[in-house]
Amino acid sequence: GTTLGASAAESGRYFGAAIAAGRLSDSVYTGILDREFNSVTAENEMKWDATEPSQNSFNYSRGDQIANRALARGQKVRGHALLWHQQQPGWAQGMSGTALRNAAINHVTKVATYYRGKVFAWDVVNEAFADGGSGGRRDSNLQRTGNDWIEAAFRAARAADPTAKLCYNDYNTDGINAKSTGVYNMVRDFRSRGVPIDCVGFQSHLTNGPPSDYQANLQRFADLGVDVQITELDIAGSSQANGFASVVRACKAIARCTGITVWGIRDSDSWRTGENPLLFDNSGNKKAAYTSTLNALNGS
Ligand code: G3I
């Protein structure tokens, strides 16, 4: 293929980008988006603070801008994210206990129902595990409602949208380490007890490249019977071009690695200010990292 999306599609995968509604009036941005990518993720517009600014009053206007534009062009929409300890609306930040649990489940139910048939996969829960060596859950208002909050969220999402793939998504879980093993044990437990989970997202915010056990880590999750997806890829550092190629090759080596999403289009669109971690420069020109990514997708 001659574009990222077309090349990924040759092996049945997608190649996506996180996009921002506020940039959709920039024709350089949309030109690259529509030429290169066949999947999109809303960088912020489908998060809890954006979609439920006051309790049980939903606003899908910015999420719809992204989703409807993509679907009209044949691009898939990856939903991000139903529950997260960050970017909660102010009204939820101050809640706890049963009131917060009920509000969170209502949020999952309403948003997943609204986007049913439009979103092919949801990050149902984002970043719920602690950094460091514990392998345990991160403390948060959601975690304090009870350890079963994650499975309750997945069950609610499945009931609301039986068609979407339901994913758990996190960062620093790219290699085999205490945090990724904590997630692994949760997924294995969910699979054994019939808690509905279909996929795990590996954000892959990297420097220079993936860890040496990246492919082995993706494989051990795939062996649990879930799909794996690279969900927020960006790579800083001087080995960036090789790093992108390594990520693509690892995904292609795993049958259940169904797609890759980069977290932005141009360096100037990235949340990693000054790190230039993406595939296009500030002017929208293809970087060396673009070429290595395309070549890796095409098997060279
Ligand atoms: O939209 C407001 C604007 O009205 C306001 O004037 C401005 C001033 O602060 O803030 C704007 O909101 C910002 C928003 O991005 C949109 O640009 C928020 O402050 C800022 O915190 C927010 O950052 C986002 C971040 O998540 C929040 O945690 C980044 O864009 C987004 O790339 C980033 O994405 C996360 C994933 O969701 C989860 N994984 C990690 C990843 C990187 O942090």
Side-chain angles (χ1 to χ4, degrees):
T2 60
T3 66
L4 302 169
S7 300
E10 286 172 8
S11 68
R13 295 179 171 85
Y14 64 87
F15 203 98
I19 61 171
R23 292 193 167 90
L24 291 173
S25 55
D26 175 342
S27 62
V28 174
Y29 185 82
T30 55
I32 300 169
L33 168 60
D34 296 337
R35 186 185 74 225
E36 298 287 344
F37 298 97
N38 53 16
S39 174
V40 302
T41 304
E43 190 175 359
N44 290 294
E45 292 81 351
M46 293 189 189
K47 292 172 179 174
W48 197 351
D49 59 349
T51 51
E52 196 180 359
S54 54
Q55 189 170 7
N56 209 28
S57 171
F58 291 83
N59 183 344
Y60 298 109
S61 58
R62 288 189 304 138
D64 281 351
Q65 254 184 283
I66 287 181
N68 293 337
R69 183 188 187 286
L71 294 169
R73 288 163 175 77
Q75 298 160 337
K76 295 150 72 93
V77 179
R78 212 181 166 281
H80 174 80
L82 293 172
L83 293 180
W84 188 22
H85 65 281
Q86 286 186 34
Q87 286 178 286
Q88 294 181 2
W91 61 264
Q93 290 175 28
M95 289 177 76
S96 63
T98 304
L100 175 60
R101 173 68 71 95
N102 291 341
I105 295 303
N106 181 58
H107 180 75
V108 170
T109 299
K110 296 285 173 59
V111 178
T113 298
Y114 181 82
Y115 281 111
R116 180 176 170 161
K118 294 190 169 182
V119 161
F120 76 94
W122 267 113
D123 290 331
V124 177
V125 169
N126 190 46
E127 300 177 10
F129 276 73
D131 292 312
S134 75
R137 298 284 183 85
R138 171 195 298 279
D139 179 57
S140 71
N141 59 345
L142 290 164
Q143 181 63 26
R144 290 191 291 272
T145 72
N147 204 53
D148 64 341
W149 74 277
I150 297 182
E151 63 189 84
F154 275 85
R155 291 186 199 280
R158 178 72 95 225
D161 182 356
T163 65
K165 299 280 192 186
L166 305 182
C167 306
Y168 176 80
N169 189 55
D170 215 328
Y171 67 90
N172 286 352
T173 50
D174 310 306
I176 297 178
N177 56 39
K179 186 175 179 180
S180 65
T181 298
V183 176
Y184 176 86
N185 289 335
M186 179 187 75
V187 174
R188 188 176 56 184
D189 170 56
F190 280 14
R191 300 289 298 177
S192 74
R193 291 190 295 113
V195 178
I197 184 167
D198 307 304
C199 39
V200 176
F202 298 84
Q203 293 184 11
S204 305
H205 295 295
L206 302 171
T207 298
N208 289 318
S212 57
D213 52 7
Y214 189 64
Q215 184 180 319
N217 189 46
L218 300 178
Q219 186 67 59
R220 72 171 173 158
F221 279 87
D223 289 344
L224 293 175
V226 290
D227 289 343
V228 297
Q229 300 170 344
I230 312 307
T231 52
E232 304 184 13
L233 179 62
D234 49 22
I235 308 182
S238 56
S239 302
Q240 172 182 77
N242 287 329
F244 274 101
S246 298
V247 169
V248 170
R249 284 194 294 261
C251 180
K252 284 189 69 180
I254 295 173
R256 295 201 80 128
C257 183
T258 57
I260 297 174
T261 298
V262 290
W263 204 245
I265 294 181
R266 301 162 300 196
D267 287 333
S268 49
D269 302 315
S270 174
W271 70 292
R272 296 172 74 172
T273 308
E275 294 192 274
N276 300 326
L278 293 172
L279 301 177
F280 297 88
D281 71 16
N282 297 352
S283 304
N285 300 307
K286 297 169 179 175
K287 295 167 58 181
Y290 171 92
T291 305
S292 66
T293 300
L294 184 69
N295 289 343
L297 287 168
N298 286 318
S300 55

